């Protein structure tokens, strides 16, 4: 039997440390520096012994005046002698069921793709990776000056970094900023200082890669990273940028070599209507979206997605009756019967039909070839620091 919140952190840590041969209090201080997330751990015990543990850690993305709720699956572990009994499967299924009951918009995790596709997780969302070489630096001629200060938990610059981060229109909400950015063994956090001596953002570095970057001067992102490369005497540096920072993406694209777009993790969408509308809303703030009106059948739910005068909306029209609940069997375009929320049966046009996994790839993939003719792709993302 799967239990939720039954174990204390003092029971959870020894089990997952042993299973993964890790020290999770150091690896993930954002989760294990307190008991805050104890109730988001699932476990299976037998005769008093722990057989398995899985966590589903809550996260939230601010999108201007809207929010998306998420859960990050992690620490999926089963005792060696208990493997093959379906314990992992039972814990993950319970975590998904709870997230659905609690109106979570989407879930995410890292790890083996095939292992989690059985639960509806697919590689989706995306990030950009930019490489800066000495050759690029030689051709950057503008005279912009930036300096950097190493930041600890007690540094006076930390509050200023957080203030800059919270100015971002689209961001993961970080109540414990320092521990979040310091997770995954990211030991170097720097405040970015402009020529006037003002803190304008932060850089978090792990090895030779910038894994967390934010600035209130996104139009100068390339020169900030150039200055950091020179400050740290790096022969090259890679920078991860997410679609939530389009101005930084545009600026880096103008100077850096080898831009790459790749999936950021495995994602399972629970509330397609809200995720689609919120991310289209995010896009509408950066570029004007062309007018369209389409019906997308995802699983057994028909969603009407429109954009008129740059105001996108997504509305659930209802669900297929049980005997017709397989989206991929519906030919498009076509008319089908949908059962509305009040129980009525109505006919609607279907322009696109996807299984839930197909929809995640088609709507949120970094690859344009995966979009199956849709008039939009959606920039869902999970940043390195906020992943579980």
């Amino acid at each position: 039997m799967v239990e939720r919140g039954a174990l204390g952190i003092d029971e959870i840590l020894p089990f997952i440390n042993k299973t993964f041969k890790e020290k999770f209090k150091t690896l993930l201080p954002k989760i294990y520096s307190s008991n805050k997330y104890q109730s988001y751990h699932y476990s299976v015990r037998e005769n008093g012994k722990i057989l398995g543990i899985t966590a589903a850690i809550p996260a939230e993305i601010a999108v201007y005046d809207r929010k998306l709720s998420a859960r990050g699956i992690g620490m999926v572990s089963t005792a060696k002698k208990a493997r093959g009994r379906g314990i992992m499967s039972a814990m993950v299924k319970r975590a998904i069921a709870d997230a659905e009951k609690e109106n979570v918009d989407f879930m995410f995790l890292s790890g083996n793709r095939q292992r989690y596709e059985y639960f509806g997780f697919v590689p989706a969302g995306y990030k950009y990776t930019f490489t800066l070489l000495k050759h690029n630096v030689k051709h950057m001629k503008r005279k912009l000056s930036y300096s950097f200060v190493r930041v600890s938990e007690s540094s006076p610059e930390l509050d200023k970094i957080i203030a800059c981060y919270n100015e971002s229109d689209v961001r993961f909400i970080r109540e414990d900023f320092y521990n979040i950015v310091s997770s995954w063994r990211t030991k170097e956090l720097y405040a970015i200082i402009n020529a006037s001596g003002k803190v304008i953002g932060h850089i978090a570095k792990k090895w030779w890669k910038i894994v967390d970057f934010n600035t209130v001067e996104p139009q100068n992102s390339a020169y900030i990273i150039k200055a950091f490369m020179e400050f740290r005497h790096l022969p090259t540096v890679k920078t991860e940028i997410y679609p939530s920072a389009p101005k930084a993406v545009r600026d880096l694209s103008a100077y850096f070599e080898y831009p790459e777009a790749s999936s950021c993790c495995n994602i399972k969408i629970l509330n397609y209507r809200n995720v689609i509308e919120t991310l289209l809303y995010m896009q509408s703030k950066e570029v004007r979206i062309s007018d369209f009106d389409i019906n997308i059948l995802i699983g057994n739910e028909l969603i009407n997605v429109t954009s008129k005068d740059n105001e996108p909306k997504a509305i659930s029209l209802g669900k297929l009756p049980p005997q017709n609940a397989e989206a991929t069997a519906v030919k498009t375009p076509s008319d089908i019967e949908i059962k509305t929320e009040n129980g009525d049966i109505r006919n609607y046009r279907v322009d696109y039909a996807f299984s839930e996994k197909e929809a995640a790839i088609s709507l949120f993939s970094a690859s344009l070839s995966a979009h199956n003719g849709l008039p939009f792709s959606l920039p869902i993302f999970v940043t390195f620091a906020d992943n579980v």
Side-chain angles (χ1 to χ4, degrees):
M1 177 181 169
V2 178
E3 298 177 289
R4 177 177 174 176
L7 301 179
I9 294 298
D10 58 337
E11 297 173 285
I12 293 167
L13 281 172
F15 185 86
I16 60 176
N17 285 345
K18 181 180 179 181
T19 303
F20 292 99
K21 297 180 173 58
E22 274 289 358
K23 295 181 179 179
F24 275 91
K25 197 165 187 177
T26 302
L27 182 68
L28 294 177
K30 62 182 180 180
I31 298 174
Y32 296 111
S33 61
S34 70
N35 292 321
K36 180 179 178 180
Y37 298 110
Q38 175 262 337
S39 63
Y40 292 96
H41 284 72
Y42 297 83
S43 59
V44 173
R45 286 185 289 191
E46 188 175 79
N47 299 323
K49 284 192 173 184
I50 301 172
L51 300 185
I53 289 176
T54 292
I57 304 300
E60 202 169 31
I61 301 177
V63 181
Y64 292 87
D65 57 340
R66 307 185 184 197
K67 290 180 181 178
L68 287 175
S69 61
R71 294 272 167 89
I73 296 284
M75 286 62 76
V76 182
S77 50
T78 307
K80 279 187 178 181
K81 292 182 180 179
R83 291 173 187 171
R85 293 172 50 183
I87 290 171
M88 182 271 278
S89 178
M91 292 188 296
V92 173
K93 286 178 179 177
R94 168 69 188 279
I96 293 170
D98 284 357
E100 289 174 333
K101 289 176 186 175
E102 293 162 24
N103 299 315
V104 172
D105 291 309
F106 72 98
M107 303 181 78
F108 60 89
L109 55 80
S110 298
N112 183 284
R113 170 181 180 169
Q114 279 71 30
R115 185 183 189 192
Y116 294 103
E117 274 192 348
Y118 295 106
F119 307 103
F121 290 87
V122 294
Y126 54 95
K127 63 182 177 182
Y128 301 102
T129 303
F130 293 93
T131 303
L132 182 63
L133 306 171
K134 283 186 176 181
H135 170 77
N136 306 122
V137 170
K138 290 179 182 178
H139 298 277
M140 298 171 72
K141 303 296 185 182
R142 290 163 62 198
K143 301 296 182 183
L144 296 176
S145 177
Y146 297 96
S147 58
F148 305 88
V149 173
R150 184 82 175 260
V151 173
S152 68
E153 199 167 7
S154 59
S155 298
E157 292 84 4
L158 182 59
D159 286 342
K160 296 176 183 178
I161 284 175
I162 295 171
C164 288
Y165 179 79
N166 288 337
E167 285 187 38
S168 303
D169 293 318
V170 182
R171 67 192 186 281
F172 268 82
I173 295 173
R174 296 174 174 175
E175 294 180 359
D176 187 3
F177 184 92
Y178 185 81
N179 278 332
I180 289 172
V181 176
S182 300
S183 290
W184 302 114
R185 296 196 180 90
T186 305
K187 300 299 184 185
E188 296 184 49
L189 175 63
Y190 297 88
I192 306 166
I193 316 293
N194 67 10
S196 301
K198 183 180 178 182
V199 173
I200 59 163
H202 75 273
I203 283 176
K205 172 183 165 291
K206 182 178 179 181
W207 300 316
W208 40 267
K209 182 180 285 188
I210 293 172
V211 294
D212 208 67
F213 172 68
N214 178 73
T215 176
V216 295
E217 295 184 10
Q219 72 279 9
N220 296 327
S221 295
Y223 278 83
I224 292 170
I225 293 171
K226 168 184 177 286
F228 183 75
M229 180 178 174
E230 293 169 340
F231 166 73
R232 290 290 284 110
H233 306 290
L234 301 171
T236 183
V237 65
K238 286 184 179 287
T239 307
E240 291 186 352
I241 302 289
Y242 295 84
S244 54
K247 291 179 182 177
V249 170
R250 289 196 291 271
D251 192 56
L252 270 58
S253 297
Y255 296 99
F256 287 21
E257 297 280 4
Y258 313 126
E260 302 170 7
S262 59
S263 299
C264 55
C265 58
N266 299 306
I267 288 177
K268 178 179 175 69
I269 308 297
L270 303 181
N271 185 342
Y272 271 97
R273 188 215 64 78
N274 192 42
V275 171
I276 289 171
E277 183 174 279
T278 301
L279 294 180
L280 277 173
Y281 176 72
M282 169 181 161
Q283 286 183 319
S284 73
K285 295 293 186 179
E286 287 294 327
V287 295
R288 184 176 179 82
I289 299 174
S290 300
D291 290 355
F292 62 81
D293 184 341
I294 59 174
N295 291 336
I296 309 174
L297 184 63
I298 300 175
N300 69 339
E301 181 180 17
L302 186 64
I303 300 172
N304 174 243
V305 186
T306 62
S307 178
K308 180 69 173 176
D309 298 328
N310 205 39
E311 293 186 9
K313 291 183 181 179
I315 301 170
S316 177
L317 298 176
K319 297 186 177 182
L320 286 170
Q323 66 270 22
N324 298 320
E326 181 51 55
T328 53
V330 176
K331 294 181 180 180
T332 56
S334 64
D335 292 329
I336 61 170
E337 290 186 341
I338 290 291
K339 188 175 183 179
T340 63
E341 285 188 2
N342 62 12
D344 295 337
I345 301 294
R346 295 187 60 182
N347 285 326
Y348 286 103
R349 181 190 78 253
V350 177
D351 299 300
Y352 301 88
F354 303 114
S355 69
E356 291 187 15
K357 287 196 293 185
E358 288 171 342
I361 294 171
S362 297
L363 292 168
F364 310 109
S365 173
S367 169
L368 291 175
S369 62
H371 296 160
N372 290 307
L374 285 164
F376 55 83
S377 61
L378 298 174
I380 202 167
F381 66 99
V382 177
T383 56
F384 176 81
D386 298 286
N387 214 331
V388 177

